[in-house]
Amino acid sequence: MSPLREKILSTASHLFQTQGINSTGVDTIVAAAGTTKMTLYKYFRSKENLILEVLEEGHKDFQAWLSEKLNSNTSQPSEKLQKLFDFIEEWVTSPNFRGMGFIKASAEFPSEDSPVHQLSSEQSRQFKQYISSLAHEAHIQDADGLALQLSLLFEGAVQAEQMIRGSGAMTYAKKAAKILINGAATH
Amino acid sequence: MSPLREKILSTASHLFQTQGINSTGVDTIVAAAGTTKMTLYKYFRSKENLILEVLEEGHKDFQAWLSEKLNSNTSQPSEKLQKLFDFIEEWVTSPNFRGMGFIKASAEFPSEDSPVHQLSSEQSRQFKQYISSLAHEAHIQDADGLALQLSLLFEGAVQAEQMIRGSGAMTYAKKAAKILINGAATH
DNA sequence: ATTAGGCTATACAGGTTAGTATAATTAAGC
DNA sequence: GCTTAATTATACTAACCTGTATAGCCTAAT
């Protein structure tokens, strides 16, 4: 991959997170990345295309990191579910955390026709599906229900944590998650 | 109050919710409200001012409806906390539900300098504070912690419900809320 | 009927944005 | 040293958006 392409992607990702997607112009991105519009439009068909690639890369990175973390640090399926939120907290509070793109993207692109909205809602669905599969392996009866509840907590916490940095939302989300997991396991 | 002013407010509220705030131009608003820009700018200093008033009205309506509902349908403080999510579900699934403005507004205006961001984060804080006061009256030890958890669930559920209409997110959020409330009450 | 106030219609200024065209510049390979 | 390819620099178009200016219209009260 071209290093300039990567630079544009990471710069855009950072700006989208801190300034918002719609309020970040292409000119701002290329200036911050130390390149020009011509180069950006060589690698990306349009701004929308760039947004989609930023979202995809961010989601892939997170999913890869999370499943690797779970697979190498736990053995039992029930243990994975228990440690899920510990690792999520680790991700969210890590210094290079650039936000969960799909959460904000769906808010900035509320129209269901928008490809950006479609991709981010698909990613949200995928994440919920992943939690559900963990719950299923741990032989939880209503695995989908628990997965939905945990993803609600997760999305709410990420948003709150970004709204007021250091609000401790993730800590309480973690506690709530453990209560819900234990409650679902005893049925 | 002028009926035209009210019409502009309600029209803007509806459009902001369905199309997003930033992607809804004033021309679109006045066309949908059946008036002209001159009239809009007679009643509102700027678009930003209109956004702030829409947010304020929506939040006031919700808070008034919710506390009235709680006060007239419950007696004991613990009962209020228990029924909180039942009423929230009623509000969210009601046909004239126009969304929780402050949740999306903070996402569309991520810069902390923005007055819109400041107002919506203040409203989010107020809502959490209200839940906390209910929890306090019910003699829950960690009232703030429970309030934070419940507001996470709430914000997550509203967003999910809007992302995929009829996802049943609110139903599961309600169940999770009851588990968390009961867990917090026995400490 | 006429006057006055609110509303409409329309055009426009000023700024911002995505995206393109064109030419100059750099750097690497032979 | 020359060619080739990639990147830069800069200017521009076309669309869009907020906010304003100006003139005309309609209705209600006197």
Side-chain angles (χ1 to χ4, degrees):
Chain A
M1 281 290 160
S2 158
L4 252 174
R5 193 178 200 280
E6 292 297 317
K7 177 78 179 171
I8 292 171
L9 267 176
S10 68
T11 304
S13 171
H14 179 247
L15 288 173
F16 287 164
Q17 192 52 42
T18 52
Q19 323 270 335
I21 300 174
N22 280 320
S23 33
T24 301
V26 202
D27 295 276
T28 310
I29 297 171
V30 294
T35 180
T36 64
K37 269 202 284 194
M38 288 314 298
T39 309
L40 188 150
Y41 280 101
K42 187 192 170 187
Y43 289 118
F44 305 94
R45 220 172 304 152
S46 62
K47 187 190 176 183
E48 185 174 73
N49 219 266
L50 172 61
I51 298 169
L52 292 172
E53 285 215 36
V54 166
L55 281 179
E56 244 157 32
E57 205 196 43
H59 193 243
K60 255 188 224 161
D61 285 356
F62 173 64
Q63 280 283 14
W65 180 89
L66 184 62
S67 55
E68 196 278 332
K69 211 64 164 154
L70 281 173
N71 287 333
S72 68
N73 286 287
T74 65
S75 47
Q76 300 296 334
S78 65
E79 199 187 355
K80 286 187 184 176
L81 204 51
Q82 285 287 344
K83 292 224 164 172
L84 175 67
F85 264 69
D86 294 314
F87 291 132
I88 286 177
E89 185 183 33
E90 190 181 324
W91 172 267
V92 169
T93 58
S94 78
N96 54 339
F97 171 65
R98 283 209 214 90
M100 300 303 302
F102 70 90
I103 291 179
K104 279 198 170 181
S106 64
E108 282 207 59
F109 296 80
S111 165
E112 303 201 0
D113 303 335
S114 158
V116 177
H117 181 92
Q118 284 167 15
L119 177 60
S120 49
S121 96
E122 168 64 19
Q123 289 180 342
S124 164
R125 204 192 55 77
Q126 268 177 35
F127 180 64
K128 201 165 64 193
Q129 178 60 39
Y130 179 68
I131 301 180
S132 173
S133 74
L134 291 181
H136 213 82
E137 285 168 22
H139 299 101
I140 303 242
Q141 227 178 20
D142 189 3
D144 284 349
L146 178 63
L148 177 55
Q149 291 172 337
L150 294 182
S151 67
L152 292 186
L153 272 180
F154 165 69
E155 296 187 12
V158 168
Q159 193 158 333
E161 190 72 42
Q162 262 161 195
M163 203 128 137
I164 302 146
R165 196 70 170 180
S167 63
M170 209 64 213
T171 308
Y172 277 97
K174 212 167 71 176
K175 285 185 194 167
K178 297 219 159 126
I179 295 172
L180 292 176
I181 290 168
N182 288 333
T186 58
H187 281 318
Chain B
M1 281 290 159
S2 159
L4 252 174
R5 193 178 199 282
E6 292 297 316
K7 177 76 178 173
I8 292 171
L9 268 176
S10 68
T11 306
S13 171
H14 180 245
L15 287 174
F16 287 164
Q17 193 52 43
T18 53
Q19 322 272 332
I21 300 173
N22 280 319
S23 35
T24 302
V26 273
D27 295 276
T28 311
I29 296 171
V30 295
T35 182
T36 64
K37 269 201 285 194
M38 288 314 297
T39 309
L40 187 150
Y41 280 99
K42 187 190 169 189
Y43 289 118
F44 305 94
R45 220 172 305 152
S46 62
K47 187 190 175 184
E48 185 174 73
N49 220 266
L50 173 60
I51 298 170
L52 292 172
E53 284 216 35
V54 166
L55 281 179
E56 243 157 31
E57 205 195 45
H59 193 242
K60 257 189 223 158
D61 285 356
F62 173 65
Q63 280 282 16
W65 181 90
L66 183 61
S67 55
E68 196 279 331
K69 213 57 166 158
L70 280 174
N71 287 333
S72 69
N73 286 288
T74 64
S75 46
Q76 301 295 334
S78 66
E79 199 187 354
K80 286 186 184 175
L81 204 51
Q82 283 288 344
K83 292 223 165 172
L84 175 67
F85 264 70
D86 294 314
F87 291 133
I88 286 178
E89 184 184 34
E90 191 180 325
W91 172 268
V92 169
T93 58
S94 78
N96 55 339
F97 172 64
R98 282 208 215 91
M100 300 304 300
F102 69 89
I103 292 179
K104 279 198 172 180
S106 64
E108 283 207 59
F109 296 79
S111 164
E112 302 201 0
D113 303 337
S114 159
V116 177
H117 181 92
Q118 283 168 15
L119 176 60
S120 49
S121 97
E122 168 63 19
Q123 289 180 342
S124 164
R125 204 192 56 77
Q126 268 178 35
F127 180 63
K128 202 164 65 192
Q129 178 60 39
Y130 180 67
I131 301 181
S132 174
S133 74
L134 291 181
H136 214 81
E137 285 168 22
H139 300 100
I140 304 245
Q141 228 179 19
D142 188 3
D144 284 349
L146 179 62
L148 177 54
Q149 290 172 338
L150 293 183
S151 67
L152 292 187
L153 271 180
F154 166 67
E155 296 187 11
V158 168
Q159 193 159 334
E161 191 71 43
Q162 261 162 196
M163 204 130 136
I164 300 145
R165 197 70 170 182
S167 63
M170 210 63 211
T171 308
Y172 277 97
K174 212 166 71 177
K175 286 185 194 167
K178 298 218 159 128
I179 295 173
L180 292 176
I181 291 168
N182 288 333
T186 57
H187 283 317

